[in-house]
Amino acid sequence: MVLFPNAKINIGLYITSKRPDGFHELETCFFHVPWTDIIEISPSDSFEFSSSGLPISGEIKNNLCYKAYQALAKDFQIPPVHTHLHKIIPMGAGLGGGSSDAAFTLMGLRDFFDLALTNEQLVPYAQQLGSDCAFFLSQQARLGKGKGDELSPIASSLVGYYVLLIYPNFGISTQEAYAHVKPQAPTYDLTTSISLPIEQWKDCISNDFELSLFPKYPILAQIKQELYDQGAIYAAMSGSGSTLFGLFKKEVDTNQWADFTCFQGLIS
């Protein structure tokens, strides 16, 4: 079984308060984008995990694909598998690649072993693995609240737009991103703002992490401005990571981004 876990972007990201459990309350809108990793699941005599593509650090027991298997194996008598991950989506990029890998592993194992579970029934397993894992169980855009795992539908769609993702070849850890963020009530209501025409988003939708990370990494602010100079309808940093994205009405020339890792795709 071969799966293609996709990345996400955040339209708007507001850190509204600090939670008693150490996490933060946030508001954001998640949208799927077509940059993907590749996962292959096959039968095995014992659980195996292997990877190729971008190097993955850390022990196997900390990998989210392994944790996804373990989460299901606690409740279902599933045989061991060999999971191979070909990593393409950069890490620490704010694109949710690891969370997507975990969610798609859950869905892949469910289908591989014919488990009687809907995507909705997989949500509690996804929530164990990461705050934005549950989003990837849905094919539609979602408004995220709480830690990002309290999801509700939104009517906005990016279908038909081109997205250009610029990864500056360095990641930003979640810990670093949150270290200097200052929780505050948003100036604009995200639910109202996201329903406006995309051309108006620039004036009323923002990412709180840009306030602390742009001064520390001036290249990020420069990339954002260059995306607008290139004709982006809307540009911002995605999530808490280092990737900047621009939304365009047509495909654009990417030659100027040769020094960075970039991806351009039509959202469908």
Side-chain angles (χ1 to χ4, degrees):
M1 173 179 287
V2 179
L3 310 165
F4 297 91
N6 61 278
K8 58 83 178 167
I9 55 173
N10 297 78
I11 306 292
L13 205 168
Y14 303 128
I15 311 300
T16 59
S17 64
K18 186 74 175 290
R19 295 161 54 105
D21 60 7
F23 289 92
H24 289 79
E25 288 285 331
L26 60 85
E27 295 180 9
T28 188
C29 289
F30 297 108
F31 288 82
H32 293 279
V33 293
W35 201 1
T36 68
D37 288 336
I38 306 171
I39 292 177
E40 182 178 15
I41 298 175
S42 56
S44 178
D45 292 333
S46 60
F47 182 87
E48 296 180 62
F49 175 82
S50 58
S51 66
S52 55
L54 295 175
I56 300 173
S57 60
E59 300 180 21
I60 290 178
K61 66 179 182 180
N62 295 322
N63 184 273
L64 288 177
C65 293
Y66 172 74
K67 290 185 176 181
Y69 174 85
Q70 290 293 103
L72 283 181
K74 288 179 181 178
D75 293 338
F76 300 92
Q77 297 295 320
I78 56 176
V81 294
H82 178 196
T83 301
H84 181 83
L85 170 62
H86 183 66
K87 192 65 182 163
I88 300 171
I89 302 170
M91 289 155 281
L95 299 173
S99 295
S100 184
D101 294 337
F104 273 74
T105 298
L106 289 174
M107 292 186 287
L109 292 170
R110 183 265 315 275
D111 296 342
F112 195 72
F113 294 116
D114 293 321
L115 302 179
L117 293 169
T118 64
N119 281 13
E120 187 65 28
Q121 289 171 317
L122 286 174
V123 167
Y125 295 98
Q127 290 173 329
Q128 298 174 34
L129 304 174
S131 297
D132 56 0
C133 280
F135 163 68
F136 292 99
L137 298 175
S138 168
Q139 297 303 308
Q140 307 299 322
R142 290 288 185 266
L143 173 70
K145 292 189 175 184
K147 295 186 298 182
D149 58 353
E150 297 173 15
L151 303 171
S152 57
I154 53 176
S156 301
S157 172
L158 299 179
V159 172
Y161 287 90
Y162 285 88
V163 62
L164 176 59
L165 301 166
I166 308 297
Y167 173 68
N169 295 329
F170 64 86
I172 297 175
S173 70
T174 302
Q175 181 179 7
E176 178 185 1
Y178 275 97
H180 302 291
V181 73
K182 296 180 179 179
Q184 58 186 340
T187 304
Y188 297 96
D189 177 69
L190 183 57
T191 306
T192 301
S193 299
I194 201 69
S195 66
L196 297 172
I198 294 178
E199 289 79 5
Q200 297 182 33
W201 288 0
K202 181 180 180 181
D203 300 320
C204 59
I205 300 179
S206 59
N207 182 332
D208 281 351
F209 287 110
E210 293 181 6
L211 295 174
S212 58
L213 292 177
F214 278 12
K216 185 175 183 179
Y217 300 103
I219 187 62
L220 301 181
Q222 179 183 334
I223 292 172
K224 180 178 178 178
Q225 184 57 53
E226 289 181 0
L227 286 167
Y228 276 124
D229 292 344
Q230 200 171 4
I233 305 168
Y234 180 77
M237 189 173 73
S238 182
S240 61
S242 56
T243 300
L244 279 293
F245 68 87
L247 298 175
F248 297 83
K249 289 185 176 180
K250 60 182 181 180
E251 196 169 8
V252 296
D253 185 3
T254 60
N255 287 333
Q256 75 179 83
W257 307 109
D259 292 337
F260 303 115
T261 301
C262 70
F263 169 87
Q264 181 173 209
L266 178 65
I267 299 175
S268 59

